[in-house]
Amino acid sequence: MRKSSFLGLLLSLSLFGSCGSSISSDAQKVADLQCKVKELQVDVFSGDTSKQEDLKEVVAESAALVQEMNTKYASLEEKQEFQQALLKAQANCN
């Protein structure tokens, strides 16, 4: 009995740990796309109209990924953890 409880605890901890890294990875993907959107917006607003189509595509891709993350991380706790990871990842955006 004690051995199965210990194995259950180890399994729970490993799943929780892997979920956290998944959240961080997903947040980094969203942040990377958002950074790309910002870069393209600067180009477009500076008069580089050749970047408009790229901007539309990246905005659509970013919106789809955000929607996917809203579905994937449905609980309040997961949403909060994702938001914190996203803010951390966004800090690296130039």
Side-chain angles (χ1 to χ4, degrees):
M1 181 74 163
R2 191 175 221 191
K3 188 175 182 178
S4 65
S5 295
F6 179 71
L7 290 175
L9 176 63
L10 283 178
L11 180 61
S12 296
L13 290 174
S14 69
L15 288 175
F16 181 73
S18 65
C19 180
S21 68
S22 176
I23 287 176
S24 295
S25 175
D26 288 342
Q28 187 63 54
K29 289 176 191 175
V30 171
D32 290 345
L33 280 175
Q34 290 176 342
C35 283
K36 186 68 177 170
V37 167
K38 287 179 185 178
E39 292 170 11
L40 289 169
Q41 284 175 332
V42 168
D43 292 343
V44 170
F45 293 146
S46 296
D48 187 353
T49 57
S50 68
K51 303 284 183 166
Q52 284 180 332
E53 279 304 311
D54 292 339
L55 178 59
K56 287 179 186 178
E57 289 174 14
V58 176
V59 165
E61 185 179 351
S62 179
L65 185 58
V66 167
Q67 183 61 38
E68 179 183 335
M69 294 304 109
N70 284 334
T71 303
K72 184 174 182 179
Y73 302 113
S75 75
L76 179 60
E77 182 180 318
E78 289 173 325
K79 286 183 186 297
Q80 289 172 337
E81 189 174 343
F82 181 81
Q83 186 64 33
Q84 289 175 348
L86 181 59
L87 289 173
K88 184 177 179 181
Q90 287 172 331
N92 299 324
C93 184
N94 294 331

